[in-house]
Amino acid sequence: MTHPNAASRPTQAVILAGGQGSRLRPYTDDRPKPMVEIPGTGTPIIGHQLTWLAEEGVTDVVVSCGHLAEVLQKWLDSADLPVSVTTVVETEPLGRGGGLKYAAARLPHPDRPWYATNGDIWTRFSLRDMADFHTERDAVATLALARPRIPWGAVQTDGFGHITDFIEAPPSTFEINAGVYVFSPEFAGMLPERGDHERTTFPRLARERKLAGFPIPQGAYWRAIDTAKDLSEAAKELAALGR
């Protein structure tokens, strides 16, 4: 029996892959951030993302390129990809919201919902569940929410100021935007031509109660690859997962 929401689950996605990745140097001296390989896998971040999207029912992906776009395009042309990929390159910086709007214009089905993800996110969870969550809340946009681990050891105290425990790298008490989204068809029309949608479109939708937050299930893998340390941590975690 098919799920009642199956028809409203996206089959198209945008990957925002234009970032400079300056904090990942020297890895990003000759390639854009999504082309950095996860150590031990022989596959760049974007390769892992495309595999994940395909497993979640996506057939068409638009990749928005910027910094060293030709390196990314060359890899996409030569790789055996599990989805149909179109690339777009911003000729001038449009900002995050403008870039998203520009890429969304190339989606094959503008009248249907779509996923989007930042090009430096390495994660595995059920996008189908997230799409159903989005539909059930009648949201225009849904953000995946993560609880990243704090990079320091934390201290617990009692009411008298005595230290009772030390906790190594605890999860944050705050949820953050995990860089993975579900958007309804009308969302693209609400994006600015240029500028940042996180300062304009998202706050407006939040006021209208049309912005939902989907907590990534506990135990699911999520990491933003922002620094060389993130790369080595990802490799360690992958080895532990036996992937």
Side-chain angles (χ1 to χ4, degrees):
M1 192 182 119
T2 56
H3 190 283
N5 291 330
S8 59
R9 290 173 184 160
T11 58
Q12 53 186 1
V14 167
I15 297 178
L16 295 168
Q20 293 274 343
S22 50
R23 283 193 288 187
L24 259 175
R25 288 197 175 122
Y27 297 101
T28 48
D29 284 347
D30 61 351
R31 69 195 61 196
K33 206 171 176 184
M35 279 302 300
V36 173
E37 284 185 10
I38 304 279
T41 69
T43 305
I45 299 165
I46 194 164
H48 293 285
Q49 289 182 324
L50 291 170
T51 300
W52 175 51
L53 289 169
E55 286 168 359
E56 293 294 325
V58 171
T59 54
D60 294 273
V61 176
V62 176
V63 178
S64 174
C65 313
H67 173 65
L68 297 174
E70 64 286 350
V71 179
L72 182 51
Q73 287 171 318
K74 191 175 169 190
W75 182 82
L76 289 167
D77 287 344
S78 65
D80 182 17
L81 302 175
V83 290
S84 170
V85 174
T86 308
T87 56
V88 297
V89 182
E90 290 175 32
T91 46
E92 53 180 324
L94 300 172
R96 289 193 296 182
L100 196 54
K101 190 184 189 93
Y102 184 66
R106 296 295 299 276
L107 287 167
H109 309 290
D111 55 338
R112 293 190 207 160
W114 44 295
Y115 296 118
T117 180
N118 297 343
D120 58 355
I121 300 296
W122 164 235
T123 186
R124 279 286 187 283
F125 64 90
S126 172
L127 282 174
R128 291 179 174 93
D129 286 353
M130 185 175 169
D132 295 345
F133 179 96
H134 171 84
T135 302
E136 284 152 13
R137 276 148 193 81
D138 195 26
V140 171
T142 297
L143 287 58
L145 304 176
R147 285 187 189 275
R149 292 200 166 272
I150 296 168
W152 305 281
V155 175
Q156 263 186 340
T157 57
D158 64 15
F160 297 102
H162 297 118
I163 290 174
T164 55
D165 203 2
F166 294 91
I167 306 157
E168 192 53 46
S172 161
T173 52
F174 289 102
E175 293 175 308
I176 65 159
N177 175 353
V180 180
Y181 311 90
V182 183
F183 297 132
S184 292
E186 66 268 32
F187 179 75
M190 299 176 177
L191 286 165
E193 294 293 334
R194 57 180 61 227
D196 190 348
H197 60 295
E198 296 196 7
R199 299 221 170 97
T200 53
T201 315
F202 279 175
R204 188 179 116 202
L205 287 172
R207 284 193 298 272
E208 295 168 2
R209 296 289 182 272
K210 290 286 186 182
L211 189 66
F214 174 79
I216 292 176
Q218 218 174 349
Y221 187 79
W222 180 87
R223 182 174 281 281
I225 308 288
D226 202 38
T227 64
K229 186 170 188 281
D230 291 322
L231 270 183
S232 57
E233 291 291 326
K236 264 192 279 188
E237 287 158 351
L238 280 179
L241 289 169
R243 291 245 173 95

